[in-house]
């Protein structure tokens, strides 16, 4: 049996950081593994209810490692300019060793200026800092020694302990900037992106830019292209309405969290925009809707060169909406595997 053209994964990004969030998410991860999904992607977010349950995805990854046996564990993404590359490498090497080599690391420039209170450099330097620390991360993971100088002026030559089990699998978070896709391709990294800020035509153009980067880097066409999509099973009018309301709330949380003054955003004033944003995703840019629509969307992404769809389901009300959707994703995976056999 041949491999499916596009693998299916789970993206853990609940907007509900209240009591029990970790238990609920880990239950969902266990179900994803049982249904044959490939990976779980875990975010890094700070100082906000929106995703703020996971300020360190490696800690959550360690929890996942102890509750699963096969599922790939992915940082989606580590905001590398906020941290020492050594600290990120040490954290994820521990998870890799504990999980038997199941780690992959997505890295990001960072977008929230307030987060850079955690950094040793200003927000304006984040792109160059990311490039520097990617290089350090790659060298450490491969076993090389790295000569560092701390803020105190002390110098030391360091190696990574514990040693990771797997080779480094690295993705770069890319949104609307074609140059980021090119840079990621030229550097031999995968791409982690979404459809909130681009449509399928824009995604196709950005993927082609990524492939050109790989060619110019002497790597040839290929690589890993992971696209985050929202997924919610609709099996009737009531569940369709529930899913769209949940998607509208999620979009409001998304826009509020990126505002310099979230308290100034009036939900009633923003509601028409959120309805439009949710309908845009529902209209051919997500797996929100009847299960019968899902295979065609997956095949569209496959034809563009997407290699993995990672599905965000925990914007839905906790309970059957989550589990029914993940089970439907399992059926989609099975059907796709059979069709590509």
């Amino acid at each position: 049996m041949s491999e499916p053209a596009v693998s299916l994964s789970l993206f853990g990004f609940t907007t509900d950081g209240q009591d029990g969030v970790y238990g609920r998410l880990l239950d969902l991860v266990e179900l994803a593994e049982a249904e044959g999904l490939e990976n779980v992607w875990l975010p890094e977010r700070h100082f906000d209810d929106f995703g703020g349950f996971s300020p360190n995805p490696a800690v959550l990854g360690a929890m996942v490692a102890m509750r699963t046996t096969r599922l790939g564990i992915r940082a989606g993404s580590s905001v590398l300019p906020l941290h020492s590359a050594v600290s990120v490498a040490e954290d994820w090497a521990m998870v890799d060793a504990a999980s038997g080599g199941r780690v992959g690391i997505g890295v990001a420039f960072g977008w929230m200026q307030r987060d850079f209170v955690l950094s040793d450099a200003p927000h304006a330097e984040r792109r160059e800092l990311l490039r520097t620390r990617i290089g350090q991360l790659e060298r450490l993971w491969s076993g090389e020694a790295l000569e560092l100088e701390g803020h105190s002026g002390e110098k030391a030559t360091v190696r990574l302990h514990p040693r990771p089990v797997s080779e480094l699998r690295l993705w770069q978070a890319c949104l609307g900037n074609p140059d980021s896709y090119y840079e990621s391709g030229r550097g031999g990294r995968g791409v982690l992106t979404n459809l909130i800020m681009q449509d399928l035509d824009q995604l196709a153009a950005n993927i082609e830019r990524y492939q050109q980067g790989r060619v110019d880097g002497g790597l040839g066409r290929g690589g890993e292209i992971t696209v985050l999509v929202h997924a919610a099973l609709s099996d009737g009018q009531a569940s369709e309405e529930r899913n769209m309301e949940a998607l509208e709330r999620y979009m409001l949380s998304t826009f509020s969290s990126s505002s310099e003054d979230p308290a100034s955003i009036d939900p009633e004033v923003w509601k028409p925009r959120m309805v439009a944003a949710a309908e845009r995703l529902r209209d051919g840019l997500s797996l929100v809707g009847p299960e019968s629509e899902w295979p065609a969307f997956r095949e569209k992404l496959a034809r563009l060169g997407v290699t993995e769809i990672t599905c965000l389901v925990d914007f839905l009300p906790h309970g059957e909406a989550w589990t029914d959707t993940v089970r439907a994703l399992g059926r989609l995976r099975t059907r796709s595997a059979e069709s590509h056999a």
Side-chain angles (χ1 to χ4, degrees):
M1 179 178 292
S2 64
E3 290 295 320
V6 184
S7 64
L8 284 169
S9 300
L10 184 72
F11 195 95
F13 199 121
T14 180
T15 59
D16 177 8
Q18 301 304 310
D19 292 345
V21 59
Y22 301 111
R24 293 195 302 272
L25 187 61
L26 291 171
D27 287 345
L28 190 63
V29 164
E30 284 188 329
L31 178 61
E33 180 168 80
E35 291 295 332
L37 303 191
E38 294 293 326
N39 306 303
V40 59
W41 291 80
L42 306 167
E44 177 181 339
R45 291 281 293 188
H46 299 279
F47 317 130
D48 200 312
D49 285 343
F50 184 68
F53 74 100
S54 183
N56 185 340
V59 174
L60 195 52
M63 299 181 201
V64 171
M66 297 299 101
R67 292 276 291 267
T68 58
T69 60
R70 178 195 56 78
L71 203 67
I73 304 168
R74 306 285 185 254
S77 300
S78 175
V79 186
L80 205 49
L82 303 183
H83 313 289
S84 159
V86 177
S87 295
V88 173
E90 287 180 333
D91 287 351
W92 282 103
M94 289 178 66
V95 180
D96 197 54
S99 67
R102 291 188 273 144
V103 158
I105 303 175
V107 295
F109 294 113
W111 59 96
M112 297 299 294
Q113 189 157 353
R114 70 181 180 214
D115 293 352
F116 279 75
V117 298
L118 300 173
S119 179
D120 56 2
H123 181 263
E125 297 178 12
R126 65 193 184 282
R127 293 183 179 275
E128 188 57 41
L129 200 55
L130 178 71
R131 297 183 185 104
T132 298
R133 291 182 178 172
I134 284 175
Q136 293 174 333
L137 178 61
E138 290 172 331
R139 290 172 60 192
L140 286 164
W141 202 272
S142 69
E144 287 187 43
L146 198 64
E147 187 172 318
L148 298 174
E149 181 176 348
H151 295 300
S152 65
E154 294 287 343
K155 296 181 180 180
T157 301
V158 301
R159 293 182 185 272
L160 185 57
H161 295 281
R163 290 285 300 121
V165 175
S166 66
E167 293 186 4
L168 181 62
R169 294 179 285 255
L170 200 61
W171 285 256
Q172 182 173 325
C174 300
L175 295 176
N177 185 349
D179 291 342
S180 295
Y181 290 82
Y182 180 85
E183 180 180 9
S184 182
R186 190 177 179 89
R189 299 181 287 278
V191 161
L192 175 62
T193 189
N194 63 50
L195 294 173
I196 293 177
M197 298 181 66
Q198 60 187 333
D199 59 24
L200 294 185
D201 288 341
Q202 291 168 317
L203 176 62
N206 284 328
I207 289 174
E208 185 55 37
R209 185 72 173 141
Y210 171 76
Q211 297 295 353
Q212 187 60 54
R214 286 184 58 86
V215 170
D216 291 349
L219 300 169
R221 297 176 71 88
E224 299 288 337
I225 301 165
T226 300
V227 177
L228 166 66
V229 305
H230 296 74
L233 177 65
S234 300
D235 55 9
Q237 186 63 31
S239 60
E240 175 77 6
E241 291 176 359
R242 175 204 66 198
N243 295 345
M244 292 305 293
E245 289 172 0
L247 192 53
E248 290 166 21
R249 288 193 298 271
Y250 175 87
M251 297 308 296
L252 180 62
S253 296
T254 299
F255 288 112
S256 296
S257 71
S258 60
S259 170
E260 293 185 1
D261 184 13
S264 68
I265 294 178
D266 184 338
E268 290 304 313
V269 172
W270 277 65
K271 184 174 178 59
R273 300 186 202 180
M274 298 306 98
V275 170
E279 289 178 348
R280 172 185 172 276
L281 291 179
R282 174 67 179 86
D283 187 21
L285 294 176
S286 72
L287 291 171
V288 175
E291 191 173 346
S292 60
E293 297 177 359
W294 293 8
F297 178 68
R298 177 173 171 157
E299 288 307 312
K300 281 183 182 179
L301 292 185
R303 286 194 295 271
L304 296 183
V306 172
T307 58
E308 178 183 13
I309 301 171
T310 184
C311 301
L312 191 151
V313 307
D314 48 7
F315 67 98
L316 295 167
H318 175 246
E320 289 184 359
W322 288 20
T323 56
D324 289 350
T325 297
V326 172
R327 291 190 177 108
L329 290 170
R331 293 191 293 271
L332 178 62
R333 183 204 65 82
T334 299
R335 285 195 300 271
S336 180
E338 291 172 348
S339 69
H340 289 88

